[in-house]
Amino acid sequence: TMGIKLYYTTITASRDVKSQQAQIMRVLESKSIQYELVDISVGPEVRDEMRSKAGDPTAAPPQLFNEDQYCGNYEMFSEAVEADEVEQFLKLA
């Protein structure tokens, strides 16, 4: 099974965050990559888990993981899309 997890938030005033999250979902869906959404706005423990797994105490959504392995943030994902290396970025290849 594929264990791609997208840590995102349903509660944000940031237009950037909303558009980044939507962009990631569009790309994953266009490549038929299954993923699980993890909403950090349900509680601080989920946000802390994301930050701890990312190894960054200030990490903000969206963040991508393959199971518990950190893949990267939106900027890193965007670079992988440009380079046509999304599968490698997500540790699927």
Side-chain angles (χ1 to χ4, degrees):
T1 63
M2 298 204 290
I4 302 305
K5 293 181 181 170
L6 172 59
Y7 280 71
Y8 82 124
T9 180
T10 50
I11 301 171
T12 177
S14 164
R15 219 167 260 219
D16 282 347
V17 170
K18 284 181 189 162
S19 84
Q20 289 176 1
Q21 294 178 163
Q23 174 67 10
I24 291 174
M25 292 179 208
R26 269 199 302 276
V27 171
L28 295 179
E29 280 155 23
S30 74
K31 293 182 173 291
S32 303
I33 294 171
Q34 291 182 316
Y35 62 95
E36 180 190 334
L37 288 170
V38 183
D39 185 0
I40 70 158
S41 61
V42 297
E45 64 285 345
V46 185
R47 183 197 62 213
D48 293 346
E49 172 192 294
M50 172 190 77
R51 289 177 168 172
S52 141
K53 288 204 281 188
D56 177 356
T58 62
Q63 299 284 343
L64 285 150
F65 297 83
N66 186 332
E67 293 300 340
D68 289 338
Q69 275 199 302
Y70 183 50
C71 298
N73 60 20
Y74 176 76
E75 284 72 24
M76 294 150 83
F77 176 79
S78 194
E79 285 169 20
V81 171
E82 290 294 311
D84 197 23
E85 289 178 351
V86 172
E87 285 78 7
Q88 291 90 325
F89 170 82
L90 294 171
K91 307 184 192 303
L92 295 171

